[in-house]
Amino acid sequence: MLDLFIAPFTEFAFMQRALAGALLLSLSACPVGVFLMLRRMSLAGDAMSHAILPGAAAGFLIYGLEIVPMTIGGLIAGALVATGAGAVARLTVQKEDASMAAFYLVSLSIGVVMVSLRGSSVDLMHVLFGTVLALNDAALILIGIVTAVTLISIALYWRALVAECLDPLFLRSVSKLGGVVHFLFLGLVVLNLVAGFQALGTLLSVGLMILPAASARFWVNSVFAMCLLAVGIGFAASLSGLLLSYHASLPSGPAIILSAGAAYLLSLLAGPRGLLRPLLPGRHHRTA
């Protein structure tokens, strides 16, 4: 039993770095995922994860697979797409989800073409799906900085973030923070997606953000409890995914997201607000 669960992390430094990176990402991205879900913007998060690809690809074209230039490029691309989609939604008749979809489809295509100009199919797979087992010290420092910024921002603007998610019109009527909090939130989404793409790639980084948050929704009602439970589910998915990857020789990033998907399926079926709870004898299901 010890060899099964502990030995991979005590014997191999790359497994230790992978676990540290995945846990830090869970601590940072899962609370952001809760707010994203409550704002009914889960698919927008998926769009944003694709939107960072051209910037990361630009860094790759110039410097190769270096974490700092790819991160800076991803941040710039993500900020441009988020700002552009928000501006289109505010200045035209098009809704934000449609403008976000348009921007992300163009961004994804441009990014794939840019990576293909210089790199091989292996490089493209690295950018799209990440390599959590190859995290280096620079990547861990970056993820740690993003985690610290995210947690501090959430702590400072907690009430405004909750109000903006649950009743944005009320927040705008009583405070001038509505627009500020909206763009702060989008900035946190971009930051966490950029931090996650090195480990999970641009296509899967949103999975660790959304799946634990969606799972927590079936168990608890309060936003704070949802954030805590989502982080716990993210931790469990990271640990089990890495162990599954190690013992079954599976790709590490997809294994983590599959573990998070299994937690979502379990929550969907067995959670207090899940599908099977109303069928249990002596149980009364209340929807909210």
Side-chain angles (χ1 to χ4, degrees), residues 32 61 66 100 102 126 135 162 185 274 279:
V32 174
L61 281 176
E66 295 290 335
M100 188 72 74
H126 173 86
L135 289 178
V162 173
F185 173 70
L279 304 178

PDB file of all heavy atoms in Angstrom, residues 32 61 66 100 102 126 135 162 185 274 279:
ATOM      1  N   VAL A  32     -11.716  30.187  -8.399  1.00  0.00           N
ATOM      2  CA  VAL A  32     -12.073  30.975  -9.578  1.00  0.00           C
ATOM      3  C   VAL A  32     -13.132  30.243 -10.395  1.00  0.00           C
ATOM      4  O   VAL A  32     -14.072  30.850 -10.931  1.00  0.00           O
ATOM      5  CB  VAL A  32     -10.822  31.262 -10.432  1.00  0.00           C
ATOM      6  CG1 VAL A  32     -11.198  31.954 -11.741  1.00  0.00           C
ATOM      7  CG2 VAL A  32      -9.843  32.131  -9.664  1.00  0.00           C
ATOM      8  N   LEU A  61       7.553  30.563 -30.772  1.00  0.00           N
ATOM      9  CA  LEU A  61       8.227  30.839 -32.040  1.00  0.00           C
ATOM     10  C   LEU A  61       9.546  31.571 -31.832  1.00  0.00           C
ATOM     11  O   LEU A  61      10.526  31.334 -32.536  1.00  0.00           O
ATOM     12  CB  LEU A  61       7.314  31.674 -32.940  1.00  0.00           C
ATOM     13  CG  LEU A  61       6.205  30.937 -33.688  1.00  0.00           C
ATOM     14  CD1 LEU A  61       5.341  31.921 -34.458  1.00  0.00           C
ATOM     15  CD2 LEU A  61       6.777  29.890 -34.630  1.00  0.00           C
ATOM     16  N   GLU A  66      10.097  27.908 -23.591  1.00  0.00           N
ATOM     17  CA  GLU A  66      10.541  28.607 -22.389  1.00  0.00           C
ATOM     18  C   GLU A  66       9.321  29.168 -21.672  1.00  0.00           C
ATOM     19  O   GLU A  66       8.464  29.821 -22.282  1.00  0.00           O
ATOM     20  CB  GLU A  66      11.515  29.732 -22.746  1.00  0.00           C
ATOM     21  CG  GLU A  66      12.827  29.250 -23.359  1.00  0.00           C
ATOM     22  CD  GLU A  66      13.694  28.543 -22.326  1.00  0.00           C
ATOM     23  OE1 GLU A  66      13.538  28.827 -21.127  1.00  0.00           O
ATOM     24  OE2 GLU A  66      14.513  27.698 -22.730  1.00  0.00           O
ATOM     25  N   MET A 100     -17.232  36.090 -27.477  1.00  0.00           N
ATOM     26  CA  MET A 100     -16.151  35.269 -26.927  1.00  0.00           C
ATOM     27  C   MET A 100     -15.899  34.056 -27.817  1.00  0.00           C
ATOM     28  O   MET A 100     -14.742  33.685 -28.074  1.00  0.00           O
ATOM     29  CB  MET A 100     -16.503  34.825 -25.510  1.00  0.00           C
ATOM     30  CG  MET A 100     -15.379  34.128 -24.773  1.00  0.00           C
ATOM     31  SD  MET A 100     -14.066  35.239 -24.271  1.00  0.00           S
ATOM     32  CE  MET A 100     -14.868  36.096 -22.906  1.00  0.00           C
ATOM     33  N   ALA A 102     -16.459  33.780 -31.023  1.00  0.00           N
ATOM     34  CA  ALA A 102     -15.824  34.227 -32.264  1.00  0.00           C
ATOM     35  C   ALA A 102     -14.335  34.485 -32.047  1.00  0.00           C
ATOM     36  O   ALA A 102     -13.482  34.058 -32.841  1.00  0.00           O
ATOM     37  CB  ALA A 102     -16.516  35.483 -32.778  1.00  0.00           C
ATOM     38  N   HIS A 126       2.455  19.364 -26.723  1.00  0.00           N
ATOM     39  CA  HIS A 126       2.909  19.928 -25.456  1.00  0.00           C
ATOM     40  C   HIS A 126       2.151  21.204 -25.135  1.00  0.00           C
ATOM     41  O   HIS A 126       1.723  21.421 -23.988  1.00  0.00           O
ATOM     42  CB  HIS A 126       4.408  20.226 -25.535  1.00  0.00           C
ATOM     43  CG  HIS A 126       4.934  20.970 -24.338  1.00  0.00           C
ATOM     44  ND1 HIS A 126       5.346  20.343 -23.191  1.00  0.00           N
ATOM     45  CD2 HIS A 126       5.095  22.298 -24.116  1.00  0.00           C
ATOM     46  CE1 HIS A 126       5.743  21.241 -22.309  1.00  0.00           C
ATOM     47  NE2 HIS A 126       5.605  22.439 -22.850  1.00  0.00           N
ATOM     48  N   LEU A 135       7.341  19.806 -15.164  1.00  0.00           N
ATOM     49  CA  LEU A 135       7.390  21.124 -14.541  1.00  0.00           C
ATOM     50  C   LEU A 135       8.770  21.370 -13.934  1.00  0.00           C
ATOM     51  O   LEU A 135       9.304  20.527 -13.215  1.00  0.00           O
ATOM     52  CB  LEU A 135       6.323  21.234 -13.449  1.00  0.00           C
ATOM     53  CG  LEU A 135       4.862  21.318 -13.909  1.00  0.00           C
ATOM     54  CD1 LEU A 135       3.938  21.384 -12.702  1.00  0.00           C
ATOM     55  CD2 LEU A 135       4.642  22.518 -14.806  1.00  0.00           C
ATOM     56  N   VAL A 162     -18.738  37.957  -4.807  1.00  0.00           N
ATOM     57  CA  VAL A 162     -19.964  37.193  -4.576  1.00  0.00           C
ATOM     58  C   VAL A 162     -21.176  37.970  -5.072  1.00  0.00           C
ATOM     59  O   VAL A 162     -22.050  37.420  -5.760  1.00  0.00           O
ATOM     60  CB  VAL A 162     -20.105  36.847  -3.079  1.00  0.00           C
ATOM     61  CG1 VAL A 162     -21.462  36.202  -2.809  1.00  0.00           C
ATOM     62  CG2 VAL A 162     -18.979  35.913  -2.640  1.00  0.00           C
ATOM     63  N   PHE A 185     -12.072  39.945 -12.183  1.00  0.00           N
ATOM     64  CA  PHE A 185     -12.406  38.532 -12.279  1.00  0.00           C
ATOM     65  C   PHE A 185     -11.896  37.931 -13.589  1.00  0.00           C
ATOM     66  O   PHE A 185     -11.297  36.850 -13.593  1.00  0.00           O
ATOM     67  CB  PHE A 185     -13.916  38.351 -12.167  1.00  0.00           C
ATOM     68  CG  PHE A 185     -14.373  36.952 -12.415  1.00  0.00           C
ATOM     69  CD1 PHE A 185     -14.099  35.940 -11.510  1.00  0.00           C
ATOM     70  CD2 PHE A 185     -15.066  36.621 -13.574  1.00  0.00           C
ATOM     71  CE1 PHE A 185     -14.511  34.637 -11.743  1.00  0.00           C
ATOM     72  CE2 PHE A 185     -15.479  35.333 -13.813  1.00  0.00           C
ATOM     73  CZ  PHE A 185     -15.198  34.340 -12.898  1.00  0.00           C
ATOM     74  N   GLY A 274     -27.949  15.668  -6.136  1.00  0.00           N
ATOM     75  CA  GLY A 274     -27.706  14.870  -7.322  1.00  0.00           C
ATOM     76  C   GLY A 274     -28.939  14.136  -7.818  1.00  0.00           C
ATOM     77  O   GLY A 274     -30.039  14.264  -7.260  1.00  0.00           O
ATOM     78  N   LEU A 279     -34.428   9.513  -5.093  1.00  0.00           N
ATOM     79  CA  LEU A 279     -34.911   8.134  -5.189  1.00  0.00           C
ATOM     80  C   LEU A 279     -34.647   7.323  -3.931  1.00  0.00           C
ATOM     81  O   LEU A 279     -35.204   6.235  -3.773  1.00  0.00           O
ATOM     82  CB  LEU A 279     -34.240   7.436  -6.383  1.00  0.00           C
ATOM     83  CG  LEU A 279     -34.420   8.120  -7.743  1.00  0.00           C
ATOM     84  CD1 LEU A 279     -33.676   7.344  -8.818  1.00  0.00           C
ATOM     85  CD2 LEU A 279     -35.882   8.264  -8.093  1.00  0.00           C
TER      86      LEU A 279
END
